[in-house]
């Protein structure tokens, strides 16, 4: 790939395979990432309706983020009187009436998904970056060079996965580097290393994809027919941003995890079309202006 | 999983190898999410559930018969006088309703004998010998291996649990019959020769007024299914603190000495070493070496001053005479009877039951020493009302785990050494440094004393050398003392088998003897071995496990009575006929050369009395006890009793409510909701979060952890929330008679109202990690769940009932500036001394309808 | 500036700690709290160059991509012959449909909103004025009005002058502005724009210099060059927005650049008209007339394209109607409509047309701000992002199948209005858009 | 790999001049000198083997230090317990040691005082020893109310031990028992 900025011919593409079916939602990856990369806390904010997720999303200082999805299924209500209810010590307490008025959805599944930069093959941030701060490394990962980034902010809306962001205090954009510095010394990235159940697997990309495919088939055999790979193994034309360096095994539609069903590098998808339209319009505009002048002056 | 994420690494591996994971918990946690089945249970109804399993296993004849007959006391015949709760309306024979205690003699095996109790009080070592069966005359015990004798334990159990039917389980626990049966069938299908089932619990399970009996009920299930002493089986206590196991083995606990030797107990005769040994020692089984251990301990403590003539210094040891545990001590402090307290790495102002009372007790002391990494609530409790609180407080910086060397004993009894990485900052020092230098000062003060009471201090053997500018004592010298020396040669002893009672050996903790064998710090070994080799997961060269580096206790039970593995798949320790010894992946927990077909003669003593097919060598009869003829204070078999603060009657024993032998401390500042009180209709339970640690000082001050769980919250089901107008993420208040606390509401279907027979019951669940103070600008604070909880006690170990209590909830924040609700300051006089806790009055529970 | 004010919390913690230990006797160890640093990873330097990491095995040997779940587990099965098809089918089931499955909420956030503040739309506006002026200069030159051309060239430079500082101001690290120039990267609209801006400014500046030095011919050539560069300068801002994942921008990719060009031409013409009038060009001068026509046509085209685009976007365009963006759009539209009305009063009073030009400028400015605001709102619209992503499947599928009979989603939005007209209209737009896309894709 | 890219783009990429331009800015010219030298900051540092201080699972940790200061704490891959993994608490243990608000000096509060004061270590140790001795003497019980021999003091108590090392618990129990103190408790009972 000609995009690669670091020349080490012996390197292979490395990636993450995050298997949500063995994730226990412990957030070790979030903390291990902050520990190794020395990132600050994002501020302690209690978030409503987000289950146990209080960091909210990936940000310039949260490079791994665990989403919690409480999936419920409605069930018929127990048509029964309640202990301490009915005519309890609180006057109007009537839990039975309450039960009838408000259904109690039964817990179906509690899904955890450790989100991270996808290290796309067609990376929107990389395409957008005007300074070359974002580069593709010899491991075919996408990193921001902190000594180059000037904080233009263009990568932020260019990422179709909402990964990269600009730090409001520091002014530079930052995101997961797949622990580029550790990779250089043959070490596993911090999050994958810490993951207690090896839900985050790290390794040579080709091997990971094979493992992941086998995992999906194993789950299918076990009756988990919802299991699928998000970002690897797709047919050309259906790939997500040309395949994701960090891909996932999910068991629910991607929207549940804040992931788009389809994605492409916006610069590659829209850039040529828009440029052509823009230049055409500008040429037309220029011609129109010239024409208008010529007409006016001829008069 | 929720509280021990790395432990769940192996659970997940097991799941991917085909294991089924069942999670029984009132609320749906992260553990439930990865389990095959979540079984929501009403908090505190566990024995009804486990009793139901026991009944099902017996009724369907699904127990592992060969294991049960040979390795447990199922066949043993019990005294004809024994009667159980079926016959006596909820109590066992021997109950004295006046004192709320049992005379346990009728529970004995027929032909067996318990060490006679001296006078009104227990003998010094009674509780201990009870636990181990020491002193029991097993030789005359009868048994019926057909398990058909109506007085054999198997038949007694069958009768005892006959009414624990699936319908009853549904009615009591709120678990549907169908789900209960699925659990039972799964357990049965995964136990036996080829498969084993493991029961793991986090220690919240013990926090009930029948806590010990709950664990017992779990072990009965496991024994019936043949899952003890085998790989992949057992009962795993997932303990909460790094070295909580170690601090029980080498106890900072009042009723035991290192190695689970009992603390001397005051008695009408002046206790002598001989009397202590005869009470605690056993004629049969491993405890027949009792005298070796206590003498070696005294030699370690008093050195040359400990001689046979002076009973090795034993007479000078302090004696206990009641319950001196944490809660009575704090209640004494509350009454102004305690001068001072030293707190090290604990935070009772947040972490102990009735935390509001704890804080006031701290304020009634003259002085307080707190040692921790940062300022904690226990050190600055006085800031609430400085002008009223006269406690003098020393808050001392402690060294962290990387700033000192030493070893932890982790939950699997594994001793692991930590090397020192950096110096502690500033005036921070290790507790070893603190203790050593306080000891030096105290000993200097008494150097010339002639007073007999000062004998232990004058003669205290304190030989530790110091190093460095901080004068830290040399840690390995302490470890060597714990391991023990042969005092004649000056060599370290290789293990506890070499300890002697004649004063020629020393050992600070006999069960740890061998941790410095061969002059090598065994706890510092770091060779994991080949984990993929057969049995490689044992990793015997990683650290050192007590006793004698055994990783699975009673592992003789992993082989059948003939010494062959139960199955190839589950082989672990077996008899090697060629080499005439026990062998396997682990160190055999059995005399290594004792043939499986050895039969103990009737008059045998010591280890000779253990036959070759009796794997449970610490028990006098070598058998695992389905039924405990002695050892427990509240019954030989677990029976279902309601929690103190149960909102429902006891459906199994309508005359009973809570455990009749359980203890409480009646106190105006420690009120308990009476049964039938409608004011607190909701059941509450507490739990831990992955992101925080215990009472919070190790996590709430850390920005990286605080942001993950920033505020105290209460999990509440959508139905109750709607009924009370509580919205997700908004404030809500939880009220108990002790306190009212505010928290964020987490309205979630992970908490479900329980369908119990003909009614619906609501539960709320809350974490207990928050407290009023953080030392970090990016730390978090919140109200403490323990403010809500009453001080109470299981009869056996005085643990409080904090996993099932009653409360009410409402929307909005609390009204008061403080959480304490019923101050109880006007009337602090309790109606009994704290160290003699009161049994729960039966009249308190009468007529619950 | 889009910076948070004051030092970050962790710097304050470090500062408090430093002050607390200052003057105290040396406690030995450095106790600076580990609370992290912002803006990138920790130091990427080996402690000892060339040294390995102690107790870590080299070459990823400690990385356990098959460590826990080995062959003794059922973690994976051997991939059979049809494995790939089954994997692809599984993914297609979950993310291949054109609609979000029923009952599934879009659990955002999906994408990050742009962080840009007022500097960027202000620059877009000024860049537009400069582009328009460069066009005027060229047109005037070609029409022989050298004076107007010279003035227009000056206006060009005056407008583009503050552009670069504004862009610098918007950067998170303004001192590193020149890093934009360390590479040439046509795929990045911003990089190309930065180069273009430099070239445009240089050419424009040189043209003005030539004017001042009286080198008319040189000025003319340089002016033409500036106008040529202007075709990109005036449109790349639209490209820049369209080349993002923000639904309202990305789905307007065929319209945004033309819209921005229209605004550029209109505001450029309006500025020049006012400047020329102020410098004494009489009413009725052909240049003034021409400029009036240009600004009106361009603004009218802008308005038409905008409405066209908005209709075409359907539900996505909600963000153009609500909130700050909605108010700005509303203002811009009314300003332009008012300007058009004044224009068509046929000049009873001279000031009417000046006011019209002013209204165009105000409208143009408001449009720029509105588009940025709309982008921010659109990025936060989880439903829109999720649906846009699903919609991509639609476009691709239809292109592949050669089918162009698309369902018209816009009609559902205005059931009360003339549904049939809307359908026909939107369908026409869709066909056009698909046809252009198809042509471009076929390359 | 890039087959999903619009074909127009792909086609252009193969052209000799334009194609090169399309990759401009993404190749070697973009990498900075610093990036080319990147490596892990623990390479060449001293490592110490430790055990996680939080729960009782006993995960092995590797502690990397530079000049007596912590640089990194991560899981020990050799430990058969955790195989290099850690939970969020374990992963945060560097921040536990280097926490904001870490105590490094003794804080002393006089009775009824509203503020902390500072105290030096030796003075504090002397004062604490004095108080322990005084509590022992003031509350010495040779016999209890029934006349049974007890040889003890209930003047002071101890709490905590589950977070300490076994050596520390051992010396604590040894010293307290020698002093006759019996109200020694830790977290095992809560």
């Amino acid at each position: 790939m000609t995009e690669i900025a670091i020349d080490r011919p012996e390197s292979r593409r490395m990636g993450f395979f995050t298997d949500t079916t063995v994730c226990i939602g412990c957030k070790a990856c979030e903390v291990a990432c902050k520990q190794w990369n020395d990132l600050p806390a994002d501020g302690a904010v209690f978030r409503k309706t987000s289950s146990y997720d209080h960091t909210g999303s990936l940000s310039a200082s949260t490079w791994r983020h665990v989403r919690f999805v409480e999936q419920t299924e409605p069930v018929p209500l127990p048509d029964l009187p309640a202990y301490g209810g009915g005519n309890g010590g609180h006057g109007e307490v009537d839990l039975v009436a309450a039960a009838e008025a408000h259904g109690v959805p039964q817990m179906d599944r509690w899904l955890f998904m450790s989100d991270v930069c996808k290290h796309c093959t067609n990376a929107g941030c990389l395409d957008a970056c005007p300074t070359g701060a974002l580069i593709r490394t010899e491991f075919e990962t996408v990193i921001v060079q902190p000594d180059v980034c000037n904080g233009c902010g263009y990568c932020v809306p260019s990422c179709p996965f909402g990964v990269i962001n600009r730090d409001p205090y520091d002014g530079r954009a930052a995101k997961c580097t797949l622990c580029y510095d550790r990779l250089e010394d043959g070490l596993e990235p911090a999050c994958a290393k810490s993951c207690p159940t090896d839900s985050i697997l790290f390794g040579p990309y080709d091997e990971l994809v094979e493992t992941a495919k086998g995992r999906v088939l194993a789950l299918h055999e076990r009756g988990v027919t919802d299991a699928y790979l998000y970002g690897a193994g797709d047919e050309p034309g259906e790939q997500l941003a040309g395949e994701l360096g960090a891909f996932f095994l999910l068991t629910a539609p991607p929207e549940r995890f804040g992931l788009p069903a389809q994605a492409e590098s916006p610069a590659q998808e829209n850039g040529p079309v828009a440029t052509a339209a823009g230049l055409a319009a500008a040429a037309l505009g220029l011609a129109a202006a010239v024409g208008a002048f010529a007409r006016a002056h001829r008069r | 999983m929720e509280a021990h994420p790395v432990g769940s690494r192996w659970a997940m591996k097991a799941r991917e190898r085909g294991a089924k994971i069942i999670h029984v918990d009132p609320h749906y946690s992260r553990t439930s999410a990865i389990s095959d089945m979540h079984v929501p249970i009403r908090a505190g109804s566990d024995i009804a559930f486990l009793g139901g399993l026991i009944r099902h296993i017996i009724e369907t004849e699904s127990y592992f018969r060969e294991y049960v007959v040979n390795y447990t006391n199922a066949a043993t015949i019990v005294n004809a006088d024994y009667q159980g709760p079926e016959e006596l309306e909820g109590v066992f024979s021997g109950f004295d309703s006046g004192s709320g205690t049992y005379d346990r003699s009728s529970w004995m095996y027929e032909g067996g004998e318990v060490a006679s109790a001296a006078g009104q009080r227990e003998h010094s070592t009674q509780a201990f010998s009870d636990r181990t069966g020491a002193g029991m005359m097993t030789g005359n015990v009868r048994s019926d291996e057909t398990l058909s004798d109506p007085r054999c334990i198997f038949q007694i159990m069958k009768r005892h649990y006959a009414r624990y039917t699936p319908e009853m389980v549904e009615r009591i626990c709120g678990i549907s019959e169908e789900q209960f049966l699925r659990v039972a069938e799964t357990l049965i299908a995964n136990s036996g020769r080829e498969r084993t089932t493991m029961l793991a619990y986090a220690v919240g399970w013990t926090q009930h007024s029948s806590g010990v009996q709950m664990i017992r009920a779990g072990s009965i299930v496991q024994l019936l299914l043949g899952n003890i002493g085998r790989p992949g089986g057992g009962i795993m206590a997932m303990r909460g603190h790094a070295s909580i196991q170690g601090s029980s083995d080498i106890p900072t606990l009042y009723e035991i000495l290192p190695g689970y030797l009992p603390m001397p107990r005051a008695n009408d005769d002046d206790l002598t070493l001989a009397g202590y040994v005869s009470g605690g020692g056993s004629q049969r089984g491993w405890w027949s070496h009792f005298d070796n251990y206590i003498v070696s301990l005294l030699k370690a403590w008093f050195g040359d001053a400990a001689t046979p003539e002076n009973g090795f210094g034993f007479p000078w040891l302090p004696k206990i005479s009641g319950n001196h545990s944490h809660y009575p001590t704090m209640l004494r402090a509350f009454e102004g009877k305690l001068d001072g307290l030293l707190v090290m790495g604990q935070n009772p102002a947040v972490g102990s039951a009735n935390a509001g009372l704890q804080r006031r007790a701290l304020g009634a002391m003259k002085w307080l020493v707190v040692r921790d990494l940062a300022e904690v609530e226990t050190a600055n409790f006085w800031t609430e009302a400085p002008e009223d609180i006269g406690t003098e407080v020393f808050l001392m910086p402690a060294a962290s785990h990387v700033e000192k060397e030493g070893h932890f004993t982790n939950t699997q009894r594994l001793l692991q050494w930590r090397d020192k990485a950096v110096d502690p900052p500033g005036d921070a020092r290790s507790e070893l440094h603190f203790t050593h230098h306080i000891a030096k000062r105290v000993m200097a003060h008494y150097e010339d004393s002639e007073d007999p009471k000062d004998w232990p201090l004058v003669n205290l053997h304190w030989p530790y050398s110091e190093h460095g500018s901080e004068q830290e004592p040399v840690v390995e010298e302490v470890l060597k003392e714990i391991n023990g020396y042969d005092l004649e040669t000056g060599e370290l002893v290789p293990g506890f088998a070499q300890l002697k009672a004649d004063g020629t050996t020393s050992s600070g903790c006999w069960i740890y003897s061998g941790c410095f064998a061969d002059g090598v710090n065994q706890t510092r070994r770091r060779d994991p071995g080949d984990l993929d080799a057969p049995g490689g997961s044992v990793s015997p060269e990683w650290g050192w496990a007590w006793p004698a580096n055994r990783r699975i206790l009673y592992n003789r039970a992993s082989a059948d009575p003939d010494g062959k593995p139960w199955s190839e798949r589950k082989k672990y320790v077996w008899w090697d006929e060629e080499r005439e010894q026990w062998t396997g992946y682990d160190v055999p927990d059995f005399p290594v050369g004792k043939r499986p077909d050895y039969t103990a003669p009737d008059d045998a003593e010591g280890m000779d009395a253990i036959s070759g097919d009796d794997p449970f060598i610490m028990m006098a009869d070598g058998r695992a006890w389905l039924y405990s003829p002695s050892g427990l204070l509240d019954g030989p078999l677990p029976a279902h009793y309601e929690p103190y603060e149960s909102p429902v009657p006891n459906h199994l024993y309508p005359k009973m409510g809570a455990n009749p032998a359980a203890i409480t401390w009646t106190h105006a500042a420690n009120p308990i909701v009476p049964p039938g009180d409608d004011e607190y209709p909701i059941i509450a339970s507490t739990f831990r979060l992955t992101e925080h640690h215990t009472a919070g000082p190790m996590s709430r001050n850390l920005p990286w952890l605080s942001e993950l769980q920033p505020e105290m919250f209460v999990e509440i089901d959508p139905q109750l929330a709607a009924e009370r107008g509580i919205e997700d993420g908004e404030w809500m208040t939880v009220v108990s008679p002790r306190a009212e606390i505010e928290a964020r509401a987490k309205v979630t279907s992970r908490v479900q109202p329980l369908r119990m027979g003909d009614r619906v019951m609501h539960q709320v669940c809350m974490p207990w990690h928050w407290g009023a103070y953080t030392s970090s600008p990016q730390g978090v604070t919140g109200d403490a769940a323990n403010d809500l909880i009453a001080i109470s006690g299981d009869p056996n170990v005085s643990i409080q009932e904090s996993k099932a209590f009653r409360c009410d909830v409402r929307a909005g924040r609390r009204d008061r500036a403080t959480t304490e609700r019923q101050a109880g300051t006007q009337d602090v006089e309790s109606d009994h001394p704290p160290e003699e806790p009161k049994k729960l009055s039966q009249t308190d529970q009468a007529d619950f309808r | 500036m889009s910076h948070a004010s004051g030092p970050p919390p962790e710097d304050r913690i470090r500062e408090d700690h430093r002050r607390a230990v200052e003057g105290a006797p040396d406690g030995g160890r450095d106790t600076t709290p580990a609370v992290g640093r912002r803006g990138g990873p920790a130091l990427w330097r080996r402690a000892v160059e060339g040294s390995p990491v102690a107790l870590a095995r080299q070459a990823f040997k400690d990385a356990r991509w098959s460590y826990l779940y080995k062959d003794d587990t059922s973690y994976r099965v051997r991939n059979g012959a049809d494995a790939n098809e089954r994997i692809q089918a599984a993914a297609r089931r979950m993310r291949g449909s054109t609609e979000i499955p029923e009952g599934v909420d879009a659990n955002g956030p999906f994408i990050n909103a742009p962080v840009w503040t007022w500097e960027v739309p202000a620059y877009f506006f000024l860049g537009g004025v400069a582009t328009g002026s460069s066009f005027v200069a060229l047109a005037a030159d070609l029409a022989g009005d050298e004076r107007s051309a010279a003035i227009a060239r000056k206006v060009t430079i005056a407008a583009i002058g503050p552009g670069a500082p504004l862009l610098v101001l918007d950067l998170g690290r303004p001192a590193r502005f020149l890093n934009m120039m360390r590479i040439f990267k046509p795929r990045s609209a911003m990089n190309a724009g930065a180069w273009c801006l430099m070239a445009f400014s240089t050419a424009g500046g040189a043209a003005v210099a030539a004017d001042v030095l009286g080198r008319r011919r040189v000025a003319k050539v340089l002016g033409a060059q500036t106008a040529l560069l202007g075709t990109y300068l005036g449109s790349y801002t639209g490209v820049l927005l369209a080349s993002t994942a923000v639904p309202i921008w990305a789905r307007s990719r065929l319209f945004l650049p033309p819209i921005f060009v229209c605004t550029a031409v209109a505001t450029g013409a309006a500025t020049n008209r006012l400047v020329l009038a102020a410098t004494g060009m009489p009413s009725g001068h052909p240049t003034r007339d021409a400029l009036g026509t240009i600004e009106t046509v361009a603004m009218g085209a802008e308005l038409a394209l905008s409405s066209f685009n908005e209709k075409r976007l359907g539900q996505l365009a909600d963000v153009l109607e609500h909130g700050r963006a909605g108010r700005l759009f509303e203002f811009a539209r009314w300003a332009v409509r008012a300007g058009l009305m004044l224009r068509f009063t046929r000049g009873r009073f001279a000031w009417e047309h000046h006011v019209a030009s002013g209204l165009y400028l105000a409208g143009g400015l408001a449009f720029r701000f509105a588009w940025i605001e709309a982008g921010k709102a659109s990025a936060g619209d989880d439903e829109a992002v999720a649906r846009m992503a699903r919609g991509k499947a639609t476009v691709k599928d239809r292109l592949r199948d050669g089918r162009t009979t698309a369902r018209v989603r816009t009609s559902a939005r205005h059931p009360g209005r003339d549904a049939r007209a809307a359908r026909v209209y939107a369908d026409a737009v869709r066909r056009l858009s698909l046809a252009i896309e198809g042509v471009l894709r076929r390359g | 790999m890039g087959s999903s890219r619009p074909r127009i783009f792909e086609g252009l990429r193969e052209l000799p001049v334009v194609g090169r331009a399309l990759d401009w800015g993404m190749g070697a010219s973009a990498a900075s000198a610093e990036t080319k030298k990147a490596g892990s900051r623990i390479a060449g540092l001293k490592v110490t083997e430790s055990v996680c201080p939080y729960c009782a699972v006993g995960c092995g940790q590797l502690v990397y230090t530079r000049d007596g200061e912590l640089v990194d704490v991560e899981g020990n891959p050799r430990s058969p317990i955790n195989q290099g993994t850690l939970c969020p608490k374990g992963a945060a243990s560097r921040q536990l040691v280097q926490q904001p608000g870490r105590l490094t000096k003794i804080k002393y509060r006089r009775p009824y005082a509203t503020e902390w004061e500072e105290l030096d270590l030796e003075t504090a140790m002397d004062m604490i020893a004095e108080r322990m001795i005084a509590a022992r003497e003031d509350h010495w019980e040779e016999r209890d109310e029934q006349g049974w021999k007890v040889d003890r003091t209930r003047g002071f108590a101890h709490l905590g031990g589950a977070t300490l090392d076994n050596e520390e618990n051992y010396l604590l129990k040894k010293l307290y028992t020698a002093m006759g103190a019996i109200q020694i408790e830790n977290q095992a009972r809560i």
Side-chain angles (χ1 to χ4, degrees), chain C residues 47-131:
Chain C
V48 181
E49 195 53 57
S51 280
V53 177
L55 284 185
R57 292 190 295 160
Q58 303 293 299
F60 305 115
K61 288 222 178 64
D62 281 337
R64 311 162 311 274
W65 42 86
S66 58
Y67 202 70
L68 185 59
Y69 308 114
K70 295 191 171 168
D71 293 343
D72 60 340
T73 70
S74 57
Y75 185 78
R76 54 171 289 189
V77 296
R78 205 169 293 283
N79 305 348
D82 60 341
N84 284 345
E85 286 69 45
R86 282 160 65 194
I87 300 292
Q88 286 161 4
R92 214 172 285 135
R93 274 199 301 278
M94 298 301 269
R95 66 175 190 88
S97 70
T98 56
E99 297 290 336
I100 305 170
E102 194 143 345
V104 174
D105 293 330
N107 249 338
F110 282 78
I111 59 170
N112 287 322
V115 291
W116 297 318
T117 42
W118 65 271
E119 299 90 339
V120 169
Y123 159 74
F124 282 8
F125 174 75
L126 291 175
V129 172
T131 301

Side-chain angles (χ1 to χ4, degrees), chain B residues 35-340:
Chain B
S35 299
D36 295 285
M37 203 191 303
H38 171 235
V39 183
I41 186 172
R42 176 170 63 93
S45 66
D46 308 55
I47 292 177
F49 173 69
L50 293 164
L53 289 176
I54 294 169
R55 179 191 164 277
H56 185 87
I57 292 165
I58 292 177
E59 292 295 323
T60 58
E61 300 198 352
S62 313
Y63 49 90
F64 189 171
R65 189 174 177 103
E66 210 176 339
Y67 186 100
V68 170
V69 169
N70 290 296
Y71 294 167
T72 74
N73 65 358
T76 311
I77 312 288
V78 172
N79 247 329
D81 301 339
Y82 166 79
Q83 285 183 293
E86 290 303 299
E87 292 86 23
L88 300 174
E89 299 192 303
V91 294
F92 294 89
S93 51
F95 186 66
D96 172 10
S97 57
S99 65
T101 55
Y102 281 104
D103 169 6
R104 287 160 285 154
S105 53
S106 63
W107 304 350
M108 237 313 127
Y109 296 161
E110 187 174 83
E113 236 177 69
V114 246
S116 59
Q120 285 275 302
R121 298 212 179 181
E122 286 178 352
H123 194 271
S124 66
T125 47
Q126 165 112 37
F128 170 77
S129 54
D130 268 2
R131 196 178 304 142
T132 57
M136 222 168 56
M137 307 292 286
T138 50
N140 307 325
V141 166
R142 277 207 308 127
S143 62
D144 171 23
E145 303 223 328
T146 65
L147 304 182
S148 54
D149 187 300
R151 282 198 283 122
C152 84
I153 284 167
F154 185 79
Q155 293 297 332
I156 289 175
M157 270 176 48
K158 191 170 173 176
R159 290 196 298 278
H160 180 88
Y161 292 111
R163 288 192 300 120
Y164 288 60
T165 57
E167 305 81 62
M168 194 59 100
V169 171
E170 170 163 338
R171 198 157 162 225
I172 296 176
C173 311
I175 299 168
S176 74
E177 259 187 77
E178 182 232 338
Q179 190 171 35
F180 168 79
L181 290 173
R182 258 195 296 152
V183 174
E185 291 308 324
T186 309
L187 289 189
I188 290 164
N190 290 286
S191 304
R193 282 178 180 270
E194 292 290 334
R195 307 186 76 86
T196 52
T197 293
M198 178 189 287
L199 203 157
Y201 68 95
V203 287
W205 204 24
T206 59
Q207 294 170 1
H208 291 283
S209 52
S210 297
V212 172
Q213 294 284 13
M214 286 182 187
I215 316 296
R216 279 267 305 133
S219 20
I220 293 173
V221 172
Q222 287 294 68
L223 285 171
L224 286 174
L225 295 172
N227 287 326
I228 304 277
R230 301 179 59 199
I235 300 189
M236 303 293 144
M238 305 296 288
R239 308 193 70 173
H241 298 79
S243 197
I244 194 156
Q245 183 63 46
S247 65
S248 307
D249 303 336
I250 299 181
T252 32
L253 292 171
Y254 84 93
E255 85 283 35
I256 43 177
L257 291 165
Y260 299 97
L261 304 176
M263 193 76 183
R265 188 177 283 265
N267 209 333
D268 48 5
D269 53 348
D270 289 357
L271 194 61
T272 62
L273 179 60
Y276 174 83
V277 168
S278 72
S282 164
Q283 285 177 305
R284 293 153 188 268
W286 195 260
W287 285 108
S288 55
H289 303 305
F290 190 81
D291 49 350
N292 301 355
Y293 311 144
I294 181 69
V295 171
S296 294
L297 173 68
L298 291 167
K299 286 299 288 181
W301 282 10
F302 302 119
D304 294 339
T307 62
E309 293 73 42
N310 64 12
F312 297 102
F314 180 81
W316 286 282
L317 291 183
K319 289 119 195 111
I320 57 174
S321 60
N323 189 335
H324 308 288
S325 68
H326 172 35
Y327 291 121
T329 301
M330 290 309 270
L331 286 162
R332 282 186 77 236
F334 187 67
E335 292 168 11
K337 291 179 185 158
L338 190 69
D339 277 8

Side-chain angles (χ1 to χ4, degrees), chain D residues 152-175:
Chain D
R152 70 186 182 195
T153 178
R154 287 185 291 165
F156 70 91
H158 168 94
L159 204 52
T163 56
L164 311 183
D165 297 346
N166 290 331
E167 290 84 358
E168 295 172 334
N169 276 300
Y170 177 74
L171 286 198
L172 285 166
K173 182 76 176 180
K174 185 174 177 179
L175 172 65

